[in-house]
Amino acid sequence: MRSRSRIVAGATATVMVCVSFMSGARAFEVTSIDEFTDAIALSDEPAMVLFGTPTCGHCRAAKPHWASFEREFWTEKRLVRVADVDCVASKDICDWHGVSSYPTIKYFDGENGEFGGEYKRAVTYDALAAFAEHYLIDDDEDA
């Protein structure tokens, strides 16, 4: 497991160290509210964010599906940004988003505001992929 230090500029610049609870997943690790707002909520790119904790059994069970989803939809195709928030290391982000159960997955499509919409389907690769393809990816390439 690797930890990364990030310097986040904003109204209150902070340095945070975050260890991904998804260990092995390459999803973008969000570590501050300012970073979340800039990189996810106010971005023009569609995004899905998994809020969880290292000790959550359901989060660990979701890990292989989330990693497969991230690999195909972000790493390979750059269609949907995939991010993780560790609600132990970054409790302020989870509190700000009203997250009280884990895992919670939210989606951001550029139209649903900085708090996004809550994904309420199965946390399997097939369900995540079907949701992203139907709701988040603009099929109108000719526009």
Side-chain angles (χ1 to χ4, degrees):
M1 195 184 290
R2 245 175 46 200
S3 64
R4 288 189 244 171
S5 297
R6 296 181 186 263
I7 299 176
V8 180
T12 56
T14 59
V15 177
M16 303 189 85
V17 176
C18 179
V19 177
S20 175
F21 68 91
M22 296 297 287
S23 77
R26 291 168 290 182
F28 178 64
E29 297 171 22
V30 180
T31 59
S32 76
I33 291 173
D34 288 339
E35 182 180 33
F36 189 97
T37 301
D38 292 343
I40 304 295
L42 299 180
S43 172
D44 291 336
E45 296 175 323
M48 290 185 75
V49 180
L50 188 144
F51 297 84
T53 68
T55 58
C56 166
H58 294 292
C59 299
R60 288 192 305 266
K63 179 175 69 170
H65 301 283
W66 191 250
S68 294
F69 176 71
E70 183 278 332
R71 190 170 32 260
E72 181 174 342
F73 283 82
W74 182 245
T75 302
E76 294 174 6
K77 297 180 181 176
R78 292 285 194 234
L79 297 172
V80 177
R81 179 174 289 242
V82 179
D84 294 330
V85 175
D86 178 336
C87 291
V88 173
S90 301
K91 186 178 181 317
D92 58 333
I93 299 172
C94 297
D95 290 347
W96 183 55
H97 277 274
V99 173
S100 60
S101 63
Y102 311 111
T104 292
I105 298 176
K106 289 195 171 196
Y107 63 93
F108 300 83
D109 60 8
E111 296 178 14
N112 60 7
E114 67 180 306
F115 292 103
E118 192 164 338
Y119 171 86
K120 294 184 181 251
R121 298 179 181 201
V123 187
T124 64
Y125 170 80
D126 290 338
L128 291 162
F131 179 86
E133 288 169 351
H134 189 266
Y135 293 102
L136 298 179
I137 298 170
D138 184 9
D139 289 331
D140 189 11
E141 299 288 329
D142 300 326

